[in-house]
Structure formats: C-alpha cells, structure tokens
Amino acid sequence: MNLLFSINQKFIPLWEQCMATILRHGGAVRYDVYVLHSDLTAEDGARMRAALRPQDSCTLVEVPDGLFEGFPETGRYPLQIYYRLAAPLLLPEALGRILYLDVDTVVLNSLVPLYTSDFAGTAFMACSHTGRFLDRVNQARLDLEEGVPYLNSGVLMMNLALLRGTLRLADIRDYAEQYRRRLILPDQDILTGLFGDKALVLDSRVYNMTDRLFVRCAALPAERLTLDWVRQNTVVVHYLGKPKPWQKNYIGPLGVFYKEELALTQAGTKEA
C-alpha cells in the first residue's frame, strides 16, 4: 500500500503516532511511505524509518525550492499544504495510486477496502463535510458548477495514473492567483476548484469522521451514532480545527480514540 504525507520537521511526532495506528489497524502487508517535504534531514528519515516494520519503506521526497513561491500561506496553513496537490508530478512514475493522509488522523480499521476501491474514472476519492447550503456558498465563492461538492483534503485517494496526464502545476498556480482574495482553506479551495467535479465522494462517517460530524450524526434520530459505532465502522478519524486532542482545552468526543491509540503506542515502545 502506497501512503503519502506532507509535513515539516515539527510534525514528525504526530506522523509517528498516525503511522503507529496505521501499522496496528491499516491491514496492509507492506507500506511504502512517501513524505513530501522541504526541511527534513537524513537523520529525520532514519527516525521515520525506525518507526516502521522491516518490510515497510519510507522515502523522503524533497519539493524543489520555489515550486510554490508566492502561494498564500499563514502560520496555520504553511506552504506544505500545497505539496499534495503536485504529488502526481513529484512521485515516481511507477506508482499508479496512493493514499494521502493528514497527520492529525488516527486509523481505527482496515484501509484496504478504500485503497483497493475502483476510481470509476475519477481523479480522486475524497469526503465532503459541507451540507447543501455551504456547498452553494462555496460554489458561488469559487465559481463552481451547481452540484460540485466541497472536498476535504485530509484523506485523499489519488489516481496518479490519470492525474499525470491531466494535472499541470501552472493550473494550480493560475487558480491560486485568480482566487487569492477568496481563498479561505487554500489547499481545499484549490482542490475543489480544479477537481471537485472529478472526484468520487466517500462516506465521511467511515473515511473522514470528525468531532463536528459525530455530534451531528449522534443527534439525528435516524442515525444516533455512538462511539461504539465509530470504533467498529470508522476507518479514519480526523481531528479538524483547534484545539487537538494533544492540546489543552480539547473537549471533543472523539479524543477517546487518540488517547487509546497513544496508550497502545507508548505501551509498545516500553515493551520494545
């Protein structure tokens, strides 16, 4: 299974914890991990490889200087958020598909059904957390056609074979420039603007569960989701926004899974 991450050096501990949950629950015999970056060292690479099993691999892919120069960035949204958009142009051509994950995720069940799913001719598989009203707002803000969903970029199945023939870095840059003053979540806005109509939308409850989504679904009479349902059915829990479970003042209901997984990781480290 090919996995993709995009981080800078300070996120290595979060990557290690995310990866630990994948090794426990992800279900693949082997993981080939690719990490897009601009500041990781050889020592960082050795540390990350040490977090994997002997059969797994970790390849650091340095993004060329200036590739995203001038793109909108803030402390919360550094340039690394754009790297995933150019992944098809940066990764080895032999790769046909890859699963991208943000590091503020934990994996609770097997990733294999998602990874082996049919793209059905689409460029991405992704989730959407917006309802009909916000979809319309985003369609107006980003000049999208009616019916185009707003995509979350935290969990992405990428059809690399298709994207290599259609993706151009110039298109990403042109879109960023054209909509610079309208961008709110820059990478997601660009992903949706360029590929929202070329994506297969997944069930967010299964592949991109968030605290807000859980609270909403738990209150719906037709669903009444529980934490046990999440434990048994959700594949990826995504801790969107702030604060996170590892930060002060976090009160989200899904933090229990981060704490449980962290305890397992720490117990395994002590045993080793």
Side-chain angles (χ1 to χ4, degrees), residues 45-192:
R47 171 180 172 176
M48 296 171 79
R49 280 186 278 275
L52 303 176
R53 305 168 302 184
Q55 67 266 37
D56 304 318
S57 69
C58 180
T59 302
L60 303 186
V61 180
E62 187 170 3
V63 177
D65 288 341
L67 194 64
F68 291 97
E69 184 178 356
F71 275 57
E73 63 175 320
T74 65
R76 183 176 178 184
Y77 301 112
L79 287 181
Q80 282 80 7
I81 65 173
Y82 300 107
Y83 292 177
R84 77 198 84 175
L85 300 178
L89 309 177
L90 299 170
L91 294 171
E93 291 190 7
L95 303 183
R97 63 173 56 203
I98 199 164
L99 172 60
Y100 170 85
L101 292 171
D102 277 351
V103 293
D104 58 352
T105 58
V106 297
V107 171
L108 301 181
N109 288 292
S110 177
L111 292 165
V112 174
L114 170 62
Y115 189 81
T116 57
S117 294
D118 187 351
F119 280 101
T122 60
F124 291 94
M125 296 183 214
C127 294
S128 177
H129 292 134
T130 56
R132 189 173 302 174
F133 172 74
L134 284 179
D135 276 343
R136 289 177 179 171
V137 171
N138 287 317
Q139 288 159 15
R141 179 171 63 91
L142 301 173
D143 294 330
L144 306 175
E145 293 184 5
E146 185 176 353
V148 174
Y150 186 78
L151 304 178
N152 181 274
S153 60
V155 181
L156 295 173
M157 271 300 304
M158 298 184 175
N159 187 344
L160 297 176
L162 184 151
L163 284 163
R164 286 193 193 95
T166 58
L167 178 68
R168 298 193 315 145
L169 187 60
D171 293 336
I172 300 174
R173 182 173 292 278
D174 289 346
Y175 193 91
E177 287 295 330
Q178 181 179 352
Y179 292 93
R180 174 181 291 272
R181 295 186 178 182
R182 302 189 194 180
L183 300 180
I184 299 174
L185 302 173
D187 59 318
Q188 292 187 170
D189 289 348
I190 295 171
L191 175 70
T192 300

Side-chain angles (χ1 to χ4, degrees), residues 31-43:
Y31 296 101
D32 292 309
V33 180
Y34 295 85
V35 183
L36 302 177
H37 75 98
S38 56
D39 68 347
L40 301 183
T41 65
E43 290 75 16

